[in-house]
């Protein structure tokens, strides 16, 4: 049964003629909204699929969007030739990651760049290795040339005649600015903070951040002040001193400096009730938080007011930026010689192309509609690219609360700044707050936690003013959220200094204390067999083992220990293996065939032809290429015109391939 659209979803689907930013909470149906928007555009003949650009964060998401769009267009039942043509063209649609869009752009306009037409893209691991080789080469040259700036830094940052740390500083700074649209302009711009006026700006920003933390702490102190009990009054003076200090700190930066480093004391009160003990622990946490704010502010003030240190740091930073630029030039030259690009280059060269107004206008005129998914995770370079190719036709979708790629240079402030501009009249801002994925109590629990931690002062988000709403799909079943506290294991393995015995560990019985494993096992047994409401069937179902998911922080030693414990206690586990298996030939063949079903391309086609699916030998593949030496390998196969055994194998292969393609439209892998 098709779910009825909310007013906000309909606005997002039907809005035209202006830029739109959609803030879509988890489970709010953002992907289905994007699909329906594209379907409506095509059905209403506002644009063809070749006039639409949709970018996603991963290749998997892009392929899923294509499949869902194909299904939706077919289910529309339209027999119009325009719609049918777009269905046929869907495999070639510009629905991809932003990196894939950049690749296509560079391949089309390569002649405007210092890039070969047949450039290859190297994986991150290969790029890291290449960077290491180049940094070693660069440092050797700088040592030999006795560059005075470099030698001064090397003397300062080299430890025990090892310059590894120094090299890592250079690489870290280079990696940091890779995602900026003007890499070295960004580095030079940052120099402004290494002077008197710059440190004043930094100090003011830091003060505002700390003031925000204090404002978030005040409601907790007031709640403790209002608490009444027989012995709690003895804590009143301490609480009032903390509240008074908070107000004084927030008045102005000079008063905040005077308060820095202050500490508070709590009275020693005996024979407290259990509830009073809990409140005292709560008060201790608030006290420690407040002291931490004052202490960190004092330390920052001390650094900012030491002009000698600031000047020295500025000199180091400036010289370090010069070394980074020298490394960048060497790295770029090596990549040119090898005719390769890394992922950061894709955005860099796309920006260079789009800085040319003629090129930018050509790309801009191609697309009538541009959709960007996971907009909260774009970086400044990607934002520049999006801006240069758009023409009041953007549809941006994201959720700033789900921004998790800051370590890759992604900047959630871009989303917040765009929101501010659109609310000020530059576009339309739409919020999808209804969650259709989770039960009511789950949503209430998330809202309760997020409202306390996602504040304007701490994160630039006032979550409390716009929380998620329950979508109402679970009828009378509200669900539940539980928080479990585990005792610490009696044996601390980190402090166990006995010699590790591999055989003993592998074959030992469960003779160790594992409280967290016991807790997980208990939760599983407690819930298996209980009723839960299944939204798809609209009925109560019994919870089975396959309905339970365990999320862990990382696939490390703890996870291995947990798996071993659950298996030993009769719980069957399906676990994502951290070891990749595509190195096996059979898996490579399978992946190649699956890629081929999505789109005919050279490498997957060669893999499939050489497999049992095509039964061609390497020698026969070479003969196919020699028969048609120009163009792609796909063209060489299709243009093979000799009436021999190879031609028969090709015909048999494509007959089988066409059947698989037909099945792929209706069945999953």
């Amino acid at each position: 049964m098709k779910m009825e659209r909310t007013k906000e979803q309909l606005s997002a689907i039907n809005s035209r003629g202006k830029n739109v930013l959609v803030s879509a909470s988890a489970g709010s149906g953002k992907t289905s909204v994007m699909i329906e928007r594209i379907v409506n555009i095509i059905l209403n003949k506002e644009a063809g699929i070749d006039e639409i650009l949709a970018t996603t964060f991963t290749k998997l998401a892009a392929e899923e969007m294509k499949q869902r769009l194909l299904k939706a267009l077919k289910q529309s039942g339209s027999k119009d030739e325009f719609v049918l043509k777009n269905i046929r063209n869907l495999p070639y649609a510009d629905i991809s990651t932003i990196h894939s869009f950049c690749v296509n752009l560079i391949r089309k306009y390569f002649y405007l760049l210092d890039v070969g037409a047949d450039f290859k893209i190297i994986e991150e691991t290969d790029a890291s290795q290449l960077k290491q080789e180049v940094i070693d080469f660069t440092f050797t040259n700088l040592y030999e040339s006795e560059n005075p700036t470099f030698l001064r830094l090397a003397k300062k940052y080299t430890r025990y005649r090892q310059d590894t740390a120094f090299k890592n500083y250079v690489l870290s700074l280079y990696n940091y600015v890779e995602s900026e649209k003007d890499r070295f302009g960004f580095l030079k711009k940052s120099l402004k903070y290494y002077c008197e006026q710059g440190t004043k700006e930094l100090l003011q920003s830091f003060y505002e951040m700390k003031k925000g933390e204090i404002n978030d702490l005040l409601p907790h102190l007031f709640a403790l002040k209002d608490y009444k009990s027989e012995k709690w009054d003895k804590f009143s003076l301490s609480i009032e001193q903390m509240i008074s200090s908070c107000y004084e700190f927030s008045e102005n930066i000079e008063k905040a400096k005077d308060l820095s480093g202050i500490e508070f004391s709590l009275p020693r009160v005996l024979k407290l009730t259990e509830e009073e003990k809990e409140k005292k622990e709560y008060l201790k946490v608030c006290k420690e938080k407040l002291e931490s704010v004052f202490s960190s502010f004092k330390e920052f003030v001390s650094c900012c007011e030491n002009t000698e240190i600031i000047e020295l740091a500025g000199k180091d930073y400036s010289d370090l930026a010069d070394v980074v630029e020298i490394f960048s030039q060497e790295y770029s030259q090596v990549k040119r010689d090898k005719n390769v690009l890394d992922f950061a280059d894709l955005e860099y060269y796309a920006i260079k192309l789009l800085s040319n107004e003629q090129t930018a206008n050509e790309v801009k005129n191609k697309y009538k509609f541009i959709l960007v998914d996971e907009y909260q995770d774009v970086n400044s370079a990607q934002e520049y690219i999006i801006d240069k190719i758009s023409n009041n036709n953007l549809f941006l979708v994201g959720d700033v609360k789900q921004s998790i790629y800051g370590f890759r240079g992604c900047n959630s402030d871009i989303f917040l700044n765009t929101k501010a501009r659109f609310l000020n009249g530059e576009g339309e801002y739409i919020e999808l707050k209804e969650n259709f994925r989770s039960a009511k109590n789950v949503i209430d629990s998330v809202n309760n936690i997020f409202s306390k931690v996602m504040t304007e002062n701490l994160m630039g988000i006032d979550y409390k003013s716009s929380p998620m709403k329950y979508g109402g799909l679970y009828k009378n079943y509200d669900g539940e959220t539980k928080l479990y506290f585990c005792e610490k294991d009696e044996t601390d393995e980190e402090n166990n200094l006995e010699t590790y015995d591999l055989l003993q560990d592998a074959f030992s019985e469960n003779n160790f204390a594992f409280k967290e494993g016991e807790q997980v096992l208990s939760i599983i047994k407690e819930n298996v067999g209980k009723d839960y409401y299944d939204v798809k069937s609209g009925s109560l179902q019994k919870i089975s083992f396959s309905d339970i998911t365990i999320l862990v922080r990382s696939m490390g030693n703890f996870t291995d220990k947990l798996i071993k414990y659950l298996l030993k206690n009769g719980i069957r586990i399906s676990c994502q293996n951290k070891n990749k298996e595509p190195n096996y030939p059979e898996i490579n063949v399978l992946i190649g065939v699956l890629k081929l079903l999505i789109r005919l391309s050279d490498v997957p086609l060669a893999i499939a032809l050489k497999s049992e699916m095509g039964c061609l030998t390497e020698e026969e593949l070479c003969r196919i290429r020699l028969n048609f030496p120009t163009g792609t390998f796909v063209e060489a196969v299709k243009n093979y015109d000799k009436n021999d055994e190879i031609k028969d194998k090709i015909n048999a292969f494509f007959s089988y391939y066409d059947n698989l393609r037909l099945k792929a439209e209706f069945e999953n892998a």
Side-chain angles (χ1 to χ4, degrees):
M1 184 177 71
K2 190 173 181 180
M3 188 176 67
E4 187 176 343
R5 292 293 186 191
T6 65
K7 182 179 75 173
E8 292 78 13
Q9 286 177 328
L10 289 173
S11 295
I13 292 166
N14 298 319
S15 183
R16 301 285 191 274
K18 55 192 162 187
N19 293 329
V20 179
L21 174 63
V22 179
S23 177
S25 294
S28 61
K30 61 150 185 164
T31 305
S32 65
V33 165
M34 291 181 75
I35 296 295
E36 191 164 338
R37 179 179 173 87
I38 297 173
V39 168
N40 283 4
I41 288 169
I42 293 172
L43 292 180
N44 295 332
K45 299 184 180 180
E46 298 172 68
I49 196 67
D50 57 335
E51 298 171 303
I52 299 171
L53 170 66
T55 69
T56 62
F57 199 72
T58 65
K59 291 181 179 180
L60 183 64
E63 291 304 330
E64 182 185 353
M65 183 178 286
K66 284 184 180 180
Q67 293 302 317
R68 291 179 64 170
L69 189 54
L70 176 65
K71 184 178 179 181
L73 285 169
K74 286 184 175 181
Q75 287 179 343
S76 71
S78 175
K79 302 298 181 185
D80 189 284
E81 180 53 34
F82 178 80
V83 177
L84 296 176
K85 178 185 174 183
N86 279 281
I87 291 175
R88 291 193 296 271
N89 290 337
L90 191 55
Y92 314 106
D94 286 335
I95 300 175
S96 66
T97 64
I98 197 161
H99 283 123
S100 295
F101 167 77
C102 292
V103 169
N104 294 334
L105 188 68
I106 296 167
R107 291 206 188 279
K108 182 175 181 180
Y109 295 100
F110 74 94
Y111 54 87
L112 298 175
L113 300 166
D114 189 14
V115 174
D118 57 343
F119 68 86
K120 293 181 176 60
I121 301 164
I122 53 175
E123 296 295 329
E124 287 187 28
T125 51
D126 296 326
S128 296
Q129 184 177 345
L130 189 59
K131 285 177 186 176
Q132 194 59 55
E133 293 172 4
V134 174
I135 195 78
D136 291 341
F137 174 78
T138 303
F139 270 47
T140 298
N141 284 347
L142 289 170
Y143 280 126
E144 291 176 351
S145 66
E146 297 184 355
N147 181 298
T149 298
F150 172 79
L151 291 178
R152 186 186 73 81
L153 287 175
K155 184 178 179 180
K156 190 168 187 176
Y157 293 108
T158 296
R159 295 290 181 269
Y160 308 110
R161 298 185 180 182
Q162 295 291 322
D163 57 10
T164 304
F166 185 19
K167 289 176 179 176
N168 288 337
Y169 289 145
V170 174
L171 289 174
S172 296
L173 196 52
Y174 176 81
N175 291 335
Y176 183 79
V177 300
E178 269 189 319
S179 59
E180 295 295 328
K181 67 183 181 193
D182 180 9
R183 295 175 179 178
F184 298 104
F186 178 83
L187 279 178
K188 300 297 183 186
K189 187 173 65 175
S190 300
L191 275 170
K192 72 174 186 178
Y193 294 111
Y194 293 93
C195 63
E196 185 178 354
Q197 183 57 37
T199 53
K200 282 183 180 179
E201 290 179 25
L202 280 177
L203 184 56
Q204 185 64 39
S205 297
F206 192 74
Y207 169 67
E208 294 297 333
M209 184 176 73
K210 291 298 169 183
K211 192 165 70 170
E213 292 179 26
I214 281 179
N215 289 339
D216 289 329
L217 189 60
L218 273 171
H220 300 279
L221 290 172
F222 277 117
L224 288 166
K225 180 184 177 184
D226 294 339
Y227 175 68
K228 303 297 181 184
S229 73
E230 183 181 348
K231 297 181 180 179
W232 191 252
D233 288 345
K234 295 182 180 180
F235 294 97
S236 296
L237 181 59
S238 297
I239 297 172
E240 286 174 2
Q241 287 175 341
M242 291 183 207
I243 292 173
S244 175
S245 297
C246 287
Y247 280 125
E248 197 171 342
F249 185 96
S250 298
E251 276 189 47
N252 58 61
I253 197 167
E254 294 305 321
K255 288 195 174 183
K257 289 179 184 179
D258 294 336
L259 279 170
S260 295
I262 193 171
E263 294 183 355
F264 304 93
S265 60
L266 299 179
R268 189 166 179 264
V269 184
L270 302 176
K271 296 181 180 180
L272 295 172
T273 65
E274 287 301 316
E275 185 176 19
E276 287 170 338
K277 287 179 182 177
E278 287 181 8
K279 292 295 181 183
K280 183 180 178 181
E281 287 301 314
Y282 186 16
L283 178 58
K284 280 178 67 178
V285 171
C286 293
K287 166 185 171 293
E288 290 166 2
K289 172 63 180 175
L290 188 57
E291 289 173 345
S292 172
V293 169
F294 289 164
S295 174
S296 60
F297 185 71
K298 178 182 179 180
E299 187 178 346
F300 197 81
V301 169
S302 176
C303 289
C304 288
E305 292 182 345
N306 191 326
T307 54
E308 186 178 347
I309 289 179
I310 295 297
E311 286 178 10
L312 270 174
K315 173 65 174 169
D316 284 359
Y317 178 83
S318 176
D319 291 346
L320 192 59
D322 290 340
V323 176
V324 171
E325 192 162 359
I326 293 170
F327 162 77
S328 176
Q329 291 167 358
E330 293 284 359
Y331 183 48
S332 296
Q333 185 59 53
V334 169
K335 286 185 290 185
R336 278 194 294 273
D337 293 343
K338 292 178 177 289
N339 197 26
V340 296
L341 301 180
D342 61 23
F343 282 105
D345 288 327
L346 302 179
E347 295 166 2
Y348 175 73
Y349 282 115
I351 287 171
K352 286 188 74 171
L353 285 171
L354 295 173
S355 297
N356 180 306
E357 286 303 315
Q358 182 179 345
T359 306
N361 287 332
E362 283 182 24
V363 179
K364 185 182 293 186
N365 292 334
K366 178 182 178 182
Y367 300 113
K368 292 183 179 179
F369 295 92
I370 299 174
L371 299 89
V372 180
D373 194 10
E374 307 294 358
Y375 182 64
Q376 78 278 356
D377 283 323
V378 300
N379 58 41
S380 63
Q382 293 167 350
E383 172 68 0
Y384 179 86
I385 292 168
I386 293 165
D387 180 65
K388 291 296 288 185
I389 63 174
S390 63
N391 187 23
N392 213 31
N393 58 352
L394 286 175
F395 185 77
L396 312 169
V397 184
D399 181 9
V400 72
K401 301 184 294 299
Q402 298 183 53
S403 180
I404 58 174
Y405 288 102
F407 66 94
R408 289 185 178 176
C410 301
N411 187 357
S412 60
D413 286 344
I414 293 172
F415 185 102
L416 295 173
N417 293 337
T418 302
K419 173 185 173 182
R421 288 192 293 106
F422 283 20
L423 287 173
N424 202 34
E426 291 186 32
E428 183 177 2
Y429 177 69
I430 300 170
E431 282 190 340
L432 303 183
K433 293 186 285 188
E434 282 83 1
N435 181 302
F436 301 100
R437 182 184 299 155
S438 306
K440 184 178 183 303
N441 285 340
V442 175
I443 292 172
D444 289 345
S445 298
V446 171
N447 285 341
N448 183 35
I449 294 170
F450 282 13
S451 295
K452 291 177 172 61
V453 298
M454 292 188 176
T455 63
E456 190 73 40
N457 292 320
L458 278 179
M459 301 184 68
I461 308 167
D462 183 15
Y463 185 89
K464 193 173 184 178
S465 67
S466 185
M468 276 192 297
K469 293 182 179 179
Y470 172 49
L473 295 187
Y474 284 81
K475 296 188 177 179
N476 296 324
Y477 179 77
D478 291 333
E480 61 181 355
T481 304
K482 289 184 180 180
L483 178 62
Y484 293 86
F485 291 92
C486 297
E487 296 178 34
K488 189 175 181 181
D489 292 342
E490 293 176 9
T491 302
D492 187 348
E493 294 188 357
E494 290 182 5
N495 296 323
N496 187 354
L497 301 180
E498 294 181 9
T499 304
Y500 176 73
D501 188 321
L502 177 65
L503 292 175
Q504 183 180 340
D505 178 73
F507 297 105
S508 62
E509 294 300 318
N510 184 15
N511 56 2
F512 56 85
F514 186 25
K515 299 294 184 183
E516 201 160 348
E518 292 171 14
Q519 187 73 75
V520 171
L521 178 64
S522 173
I523 295 168
I524 293 172
K525 288 182 175 180
E526 176 188 337
N527 284 279
V528 169
K530 280 187 176 180
D531 288 336
Y532 78 96
Y533 182 78
D534 181 61
V535 173
K536 289 184 179 179
S537 65
S539 62
L540 290 176
Q541 304 285 336
K542 295 291 182 184
I543 296 176
S544 65
F545 287 105
S546 61
D547 294 316
I548 297 173
T549 297
I550 302 172
L551 301 178
V552 294
R553 187 173 181 84
S554 63
M555 300 295 286
N557 292 335
F558 170 80
T559 309
D560 293 339
K561 186 177 176 181
L562 180 60
I563 292 169
K564 181 179 176 182
Y565 183 84
L566 293 177
L567 288 172
K568 190 175 285 290
N569 284 275
I571 306 298
R572 296 177 64 185
I573 300 286
S574 174
C575 179
Q576 289 184 354
N577 196 330
K578 61 185 176 183
N579 298 317
K580 295 183 178 180
E581 266 125 11
N583 291 326
Y584 293 110
E586 300 87 349
I587 304 252
N588 282 327
V589 169
L590 180 59
I591 291 173
V593 171
L594 290 174
K595 285 182 178 179
L596 199 64
L597 293 176
I598 295 168
R599 185 174 185 177
L600 270 176
S601 54
D602 288 354
V603 175
L605 179 58
I607 290 172
L609 286 172
K610 193 182 170 187
S611 72
E612 293 298 318
M613 187 173 167
C615 298
L616 273 81
T617 65
E618 289 184 0
E619 183 182 347
E620 288 171 330
L621 293 179
C622 289
R623 286 168 63 185
I624 292 172
R625 169 47 87 188
L626 290 171
N627 183 64
F628 194 85
T630 60
T632 65
F633 183 68
V634 173
E635 291 170 342
V637 173
K638 288 188 171 181
N639 286 285
Y640 190 80
D641 53 5
K642 295 183 179 180
N643 293 319
D644 56 12
E645 187 181 355
I646 295 177
K647 183 67 174 177
D648 294 339
K649 287 182 179 180
I650 291 173
N651 290 337
F653 170 81
F654 276 109
S655 176
Y656 185 63
Y657 169 76
D658 290 339
N659 286 331
L660 284 181
R661 277 297 299 269
L662 183 63
K663 285 186 177 182
E665 293 187 9
F666 305 100
E667 299 177 11
N668 58 33

